[in-house]
């Protein structure tokens, strides 16, 4: 198992001079079907988010499918009526914490970590032997993705020195940033026409300041991240999808296959990996519990913990656009679903939600 540290990884591909635009990105006609309301912050006439099952076979989400809601907007969603209780830590080890999608919101991350007494007022690790897992998606949409990566890398060293650890998983936005840097506007077959990593990155919240500050050690760190891991009987993944099964029948095999794919530096292969990591909603609705069990039976664990799909969209409900109502979003904790087998950790920080840092286990 490779820790989230500054280990050597795949090299950076050749630079490209031309910057792709959204017009480089061809999408099929059905993507442009409009919906009467797709959530706060979504321009009129823009399609509402669609579930994985509604896309044609092989379709890659080449259009921004999760609009960013303005910070002043309000999101109202139902949450579980029962409060989530924190369980006991594993004997002989520090307590286990998981962090949902950060997407460049460094200040919110630091505040959430301080609230759980994982870092001090200066942002230094102060949690001793505690164990901390990030579920991926550190960059894009928010203002300081590289600052988030720098923080996670530093906390990894500080936690290890204190007898604990801080580790991270690979998210689809790490693959997107890696691809945009390495392959730029090199055309790839998206499954729905020609696409480029550069265009996809821009369309899905890529920040110029992140690209300007991206260095080789950031690329090496991202390219070595694990895709999934089992900790204290929890199977930790980024995406709520079963496509991990395409890469191996054990955790070690999946992680090795993903790293080898990135190392080969083939644009088409990395695009296919990115495409599969963008799939979502496999665990909700009819058959969701069975989908979760297919992963648990293969890789181990009794519960799956994931990010990727913001809880407001996972629930299929986004609230009013009334800008005068400053009530906070109702998402205050993880969402447990799929017969209690799945825990969703993306609180929707990019859409005026909450950046979630949660101690595990939750009460069954």
């Amino acid at each position: 198992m490779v820790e989230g540290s500054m280990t050597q990884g795949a090299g950076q591909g050749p630079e490209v001079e031309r910057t792709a635009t959204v017009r480089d990105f061809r999408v099929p006609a059905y993507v442009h079907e409009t919906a009467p309301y797709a959530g706060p912050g979504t321009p009129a006439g823009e399609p509402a988010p669609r579930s994985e099952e509604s896309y044609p076979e092989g379709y890659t989400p080449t259009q921004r499918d999760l609009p960013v809601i303005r910070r002043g907007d309000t999101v109202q969603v139902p949450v579980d009526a029962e409060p989530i209780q924190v369980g006991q830590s594993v004997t002989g080890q520090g307590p286990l914490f998981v962090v949902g999608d950060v997407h460049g919101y460094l200040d919110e991350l630091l505040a959430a970590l301080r609230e759980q007494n994982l870092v001090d007022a200066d942002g230094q690790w102060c949690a001793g032997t505690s164990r901390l897992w990030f579920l991926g998606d550190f960059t894009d949409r928010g203002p300081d993705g590289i600052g988030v990566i720098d923080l996670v890398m530093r906390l990894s060293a500080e936690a290890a020195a204190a007898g604990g650890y801080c580790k991270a998983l690979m998210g689809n936005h790490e693959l997107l940033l890696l691809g945009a840097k390495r392959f730029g506007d090199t055309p790839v077959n998206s499954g729905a026409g020609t696409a480029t990593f550069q265009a996809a990155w821009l369309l899905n919240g890529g920040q110029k300041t992140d690209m300007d500050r991206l260095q080789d050690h950031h690329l090496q760190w991202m390219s070595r991240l694990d895709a999934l891991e089992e900790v204290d009987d929890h199977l930790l993944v980024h995406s709520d999808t079963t496509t991990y099964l395409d890469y191996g029948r054990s955790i070690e095999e999946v992680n090795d296959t993903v790293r080898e794919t990135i190392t080969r530096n083939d644009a088409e292969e990395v695009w296919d990996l990115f495409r599969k990591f963008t799939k979502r909603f496999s665990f909700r609705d009819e058959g969701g519990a069975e989908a979760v069990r297919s992963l648990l039976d293969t890789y181990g664990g009794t519960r799956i913990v994931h990010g990727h799909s913001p809880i407001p969209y996972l629930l299929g409900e986004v609230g009013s656009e009334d800008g005068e109502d400053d009530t906070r979003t109702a998402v205050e904790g993880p969402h447990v679903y799929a017969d209690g087998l799945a825990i969703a950790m993306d609180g929707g920080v990019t859409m005026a939600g909450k950046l979630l840092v949660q101690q595990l286990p939750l009460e069954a």
Side-chain angles (χ1 to χ4, degrees):
M1 178 175 58
V2 178
E3 298 186 8
S5 59
M6 293 175 60
T7 54
Q8 294 297 316
Q12 178 183 326
E15 297 285 346
V16 294
E17 296 182 0
R18 184 171 72 85
T19 300
T21 66
V22 173
R23 286 174 296 181
D24 292 319
F25 223 104
R26 290 188 229 161
V27 296
Y30 55 78
V31 175
H32 301 292
E33 295 170 1
T34 59
Y37 176 61
T42 306
E46 182 168 315
R50 301 176 61 172
S51 70
E52 173 184 334
E53 292 76 12
S54 68
Y55 290 124
E57 181 66 27
Y59 173 71
T60 299
T62 51
Q63 173 150 331
R64 183 182 64 249
D65 61 348
L66 293 176
V68 175
I69 295 179
R70 298 184 301 273
R71 303 297 287 173
D73 289 337
T74 299
V75 181
Q76 298 288 344
V77 297
V79 293
D80 296 328
E82 292 295 325
I84 297 172
Q85 302 295 326
V86 174
Q88 299 296 316
S89 62
V90 176
T91 302
Q93 296 179 298
L96 173 66
F97 295 83
V98 290
V99 184
D101 300 35
V102 182
H103 281 301
Y105 285 87
L106 178 60
D107 291 342
E108 286 81 352
L109 173 59
L110 284 167
L113 293 173
R114 282 193 293 265
E115 186 177 346
Q116 294 285 0
N117 297 313
L118 293 166
V119 301
D120 60 22
D122 296 322
Q124 307 293 315
W125 180 265
C126 66
T129 60
S130 294
R131 297 164 296 153
L132 180 62
W133 273 96
F134 285 82
L135 300 180
D137 278 8
F138 303 105
T139 68
D140 304 335
R141 299 196 175 116
D144 194 0
I146 298 302
V148 170
I149 291 175
D150 284 337
L151 174 65
V152 177
M153 294 174 72
R154 175 170 59 77
L155 291 179
S156 297
E158 293 175 358
Y165 67 68
C166 170
K167 301 181 182 182
L169 295 180
M170 172 80 71
N172 60 301
H173 281 264
E174 281 68 66
L175 290 167
L176 187 55
L177 183 58
L178 279 165
K181 181 65 174 179
R182 288 185 179 177
F183 308 119
D185 58 1
T186 300
V188 294
N189 184 0
S190 72
T194 301
T196 73
F197 271 105
Q198 179 75 1
W201 175 71
L202 290 170
L203 197 60
N204 286 279
Q207 302 294 305
K208 184 179 184 300
T209 52
D210 284 344
M211 188 63 76
D212 290 344
R213 295 165 58 198
L214 186 62
Q215 299 179 40
D216 284 346
H217 67 274
H218 298 129
L219 293 166
Q220 293 165 3
W221 181 80
M222 286 190 293
S223 70
R224 298 294 296 174
L225 294 175
D226 285 335
L228 73 168
E229 191 52 76
E230 184 194 354
V231 186
D232 293 358
D233 222 20
H234 295 87
L235 183 62
L236 308 181
V237 301
H238 173 69
S239 305
D240 46 326
T241 177
T242 59
T243 55
Y244 293 95
L245 296 169
D246 294 347
Y247 293 96
R249 307 302 295 180
S250 70
I251 289 174
E252 182 179 15
E253 185 179 0
V254 173
N255 290 334
D256 286 347
T257 302
V258 169
R259 277 192 291 270
E260 289 166 4
T261 300
I262 295 171
T263 300
R264 281 194 295 271
N265 216 31
D266 181 279
E268 294 283 354
E269 284 190 331
V270 177
W271 178 268
D272 188 62
L273 183 62
F274 161 67
R275 179 181 68 84
K276 289 179 178 178
F277 270 52
T278 62
K279 293 187 175 183
R280 64 176 83 247
F281 301 145
S282 293
F283 308 151
R284 73 174 193 181
D285 304 327
E286 186 176 357
E290 287 75 15
V292 174
R293 289 190 184 97
S294 71
L295 292 175
L296 297 177
D297 291 346
T298 302
Y299 303 124
T302 59
R303 257 185 172 179
I304 199 163
V305 184
H306 71 84
H308 188 50
S309 291
I311 291 171
Y313 282 92
L314 188 64
L315 294 171
E317 297 192 20
V318 178
S320 170
E321 285 186 288
D322 183 2
E324 296 181 0
D325 184 355
D326 61 359
T327 305
R328 292 183 61 195
T329 172
V331 177
E332 292 294 336
H335 173 58
V336 181
Y337 67 114
D339 293 348
L341 297 174
I343 302 173
M345 281 293 302
D346 185 352
V349 66
T350 66
M351 36 194 302
K354 184 174 183 178
L355 201 161
L356 298 179
V357 178
Q358 177 67 46
Q359 185 175 348
L360 296 178
L362 304 182
E363 187 176 80

